[in-house]
Amino acid sequence: MPQANAKLNAFPVFMRVEGEAVAIVGGGEAALAKARLVGQSSAVLRIIAQTAEAELLSFIAATGAVHVAAAYEAAHLEGATIVFAASGDEALDRRVVEDARRLSIPVNAVDRPELCDFFTPALVNRAPVAIAIGTEGAGPVLAQMLRGRIDRMLSPSLGALATLAASFRGTAERLPKGTGRRRFWRDFFAGAPARAVEAGEFARAHDAAVELLVSDAPASGHIALVGAGPGAEDLLTLRAHRLLMEADVIVHDALVPEAIVAMGRRDAERLPVGKRKGCHSKSQEEINALLVELGREGKRVVRLKSGDPLVFGRAGEEMAALRDAGIAYEVVPGVTAAFAAAADFELPLTLRGVSSSLVFTTGHDLKGNSLPDWAKLAISGATVAVYMGRSVAAEVAGRLIEAGLSPDTAVAVVENASLGNRRRFHGTLADLPSLEARADLAGPVMTIIGDAVAGANFERSEPLAAHRHEDTASATAEGVEQ
Ligand code: SAH
């Protein structure tokens, strides 16, 4: 909320410039910057510069802007809708400002706010949608920062969606004014048409919009299976962030940090569905049924899973349930824990001449006598990333050694990869069983095994086997981390 006494001294408006002349006086960098900005519109640029720098000349050549290659005179401004004084020469810029005012043309003088009739905004351009950010000349850096933030929030296909919307304006007028029409537009911008445009499927978007017009059925729901990444908030993808902000309901696993769940709309419903080892708050069948039910209610749901949703995330079962129920869904990839752990260790998962394949596996299929299929790969040099491997560390090590992998093979372990409280351990396959006994590791743990691990940076890691003085060891480690 603005403070009661905070009034804008510059009021934003959008000016029609299609086919109109915009005059820019100047031949250097400032003139080029303005030319580039105004060049995002369909105005006809008129650049008045007796001499122009090479870059400006090539801009003129590339865009077909009009170049008046003569010493400036007031007549050059005639017929322009707006004028920029961007010569960099104070006396000349003042003259341009005076001439423009005499001709009643609004004028902007670069870097001289006191001479400006208007300010140019930092611009987020999703034509025909534009977001202009102004700070009344107080903070161009601030404006650029805001621009970046807003730009990331908005789908790259927003312009295409707005164009499609414009083509439905007339037809939508036939809907009853008020709720009916509002609902159509809400479902248009947030529902199936928007999703189809996002996917680059314009014909389908058109059909979906027609369907919305003719059908009385409530908008169909949509489930996004979204990877939340390994834990650090800023390892979330921009797409995941955008979907989170649009979701009506967020269904999340226990491993997804609160800070990420909190990124959704304030009024979004948040449903934790648990699944920490040993305390499943909902069975997978119950989760599948919940997603189907929410989809049937027409909700836009983000199903947040840690890491990547397609890696040990049971997304397969959820997708099958949604497919069977005819509910639309999409998958948004995330940074999987193995990648985050490798990054924390500066560990090359593939290493030229050492390891050219990568196995994502879990320790939990080791029951029984048969050797897991990936053991052969490990022996032939693959790097192995073990998910959910802590409680079966001894089993994993034992079976791999039994299968012929050297007990000296390097092993890296990361608890809470990507997070501020992460801990790193290094050792060999022979040390790995000690992991099971550690009571001091409460977070999720990733184990990476293979010769490529030897290429990691062990500077900030603790030896895996030396955990006899657990309390001191963990205190020191935390000291290092923070
Ligand atoms: N879909 C997730 C994996 C879910 S299985 C992904 O792609 O990462 C859960 C296992 O992932 C944990 O037992 C642990 O082995 C691993 N894991 C998840 N987050 C982790 C983190 N921040 N640090 C280390 N391991 C992690």
Side-chain angles (χ1 to χ4, degrees):
M1 282 291 282
Q3 294 163 6
N5 60 352
K7 300 256 191 211
L8 290 171
N9 291 321
F11 184 77
V13 291
F14 288 94
M15 194 159 178
R16 277 184 179 281
V17 292
E18 186 182 1
E20 301 286 341
V22 169
I24 299 175
V25 180
E29 222 173 280
L32 178 62
K34 293 300 180 206
R36 285 210 171 106
L37 182 71
V38 183
Q40 296 185 49
S41 74
S42 53
V44 179
L45 284 179
R46 185 193 297 166
I47 294 162
I48 301 127
Q50 189 162 29
T51 54
E53 282 177 14
E55 227 180 317
L56 181 58
L57 285 174
S58 45
F59 176 90
I60 291 169
T63 59
V66 177
H67 183 194
V68 181
Y72 166 78
E73 48 189 278
H76 292 148
L77 306 183
E78 270 167 24
T81 34
I82 51 177
V83 168
F84 290 92
S87 72
D89 168 342
E90 184 168 356
L92 179 54
D93 279 356
R94 277 186 187 282
R95 238 180 88 200
V96 173
V97 168
E98 279 161 25
D99 292 340
R101 291 197 174 143
R102 202 170 316 115
L103 292 163
S104 305
I105 307 172
V107 62
N108 172 287
V110 172
D111 287 338
R112 298 202 176 85
E114 74 286 0
L115 295 180
C116 287
D117 295 329
F118 66 90
F119 301 117
T120 47
L123 184 62
V124 179
N125 179 358
R126 296 280 196 285
V129 177
I131 295 156
I133 300 149
T135 58
E136 294 185 12
V141 175
L142 174 65
Q144 288 308 328
M145 253 168 56
L146 293 173
R147 198 193 77 83
R149 257 191 245 168
I150 294 168
D151 196 43
R152 283 194 292 275
M153 259 167 55
L154 300 174
S155 162
S157 62
L158 180 63
L161 183 63
T163 304
L164 182 67
S167 75
F168 274 89
R169 273 276 290 278
T171 333
E173 300 279 288
R174 282 185 239 138
L175 289 169
K177 224 177 160 169
T179 332
R181 212 180 286 173
R182 251 203 321 277
R183 207 188 73 186
F184 167 76
W185 284 120
R186 185 182 172 276
D187 293 344
F188 182 98
F189 288 116
R195 284 192 292 274
V197 169
E198 182 110 354
E201 296 172 14
F202 298 104
R204 191 160 66 81
H206 184 272
D207 294 348
V210 171
E211 175 68 28
L212 276 183
L213 273 175
V214 296
S215 121
D216 265 348
S220 50
H222 178 265
I223 319 291
L225 300 169
V226 175
E233 288 157 63
D234 55 355
L235 285 177
L236 198 70
T237 63
L238 297 178
R239 191 180 300 173
H241 191 187
R242 189 149 31 77
L243 284 166
L244 265 176
M245 289 191 297
E246 289 167 1
D248 303 312
V249 185
I250 299 166
V251 179
H252 61 94
D253 284 348
L255 265 185
V256 177
E258 182 49 39
I260 291 181
V261 179
M263 284 181 187
R265 286 199 332 250
R266 212 180 315 172
D267 60 341
E269 194 179 346
R270 290 171 171 79
L271 302 174
V273 291
K275 293 246 220 89
R276 252 193 192 276
K277 204 173 177 313
C279 61
H280 291 215
S281 59
K282 263 195 200 306
S283 71
Q284 188 58 50
E285 288 67 35
E286 286 170 321
I287 296 172
N288 300 349
L290 172 68
L291 295 178
V292 168
E293 185 190 319
L294 291 167
R296 291 212 168 112
E297 287 169 11
K299 296 281 173 36
R300 287 168 301 167
V301 180
V302 163
R303 168 75 176 106
L304 257 188
K305 291 167 175 293
S306 83
D308 181 273
L310 303 181
V311 178
F312 300 117
R314 303 194 68 171
E317 289 148 84
E318 292 173 15
M319 290 189 292
L322 293 168
R323 260 196 309 268
D324 288 348
I327 289 167
Y329 66 87
E330 68 176 286
V331 182
V332 179
V335 176
T336 191
F339 292 161
D344 283 345
F345 248 117
E346 300 165 27
L347 186 166
L349 290 166
T350 61
L351 190 57
R352 235 179 130 74
V354 176
S355 170
S356 59
S357 51
L358 176 58
V359 175
F360 290 179
T361 188
T362 165
H364 285 265
D365 60 356
L366 284 173
K367 312 291 170 215
N369 289 324
S370 65
L371 207 57
D373 48 2
W374 49 267
K376 291 186 236 44
L377 292 169
I379 292 154
S380 63
T383 307
V384 178
V386 188
Y387 290 72
M388 299 170 281
R390 191 171 87 88
S391 60
V392 289
E395 185 100 23
V396 169
R399 299 294 292 277
L400 283 175
I401 292 172
E402 202 182 293
L405 197 63
S406 161
D408 295 331
T409 310
V411 171
V413 174
V414 186
E415 181 204 23
N416 290 323
S418 84
L419 292 165
N421 62 349
R422 68 181 165 253
R423 288 178 70 190
R424 282 159 279 205
F425 304 90
H426 69 273
T428 64
L429 202 51
D431 302 325
L432 187 58
S434 68
L435 199 61
E436 270 185 44
R438 298 192 77 117
D440 59 329
L441 300 182
V445 167
M446 171 59 53
T447 302
I448 303 180
I449 305 166
D451 291 335
V453 172
N457 178 355
F458 298 117
E459 236 166 64
R460 272 165 299 176
S461 68
E462 309 161 47
L464 191 53
H467 70 287
R468 249 143 269 130
H469 312 287
E470 259 167 30
D471 293 344
T472 20
S474 78
T476 331
E478 265 153 31
V480 172
E481 288 299 331
Q482 282 151 17

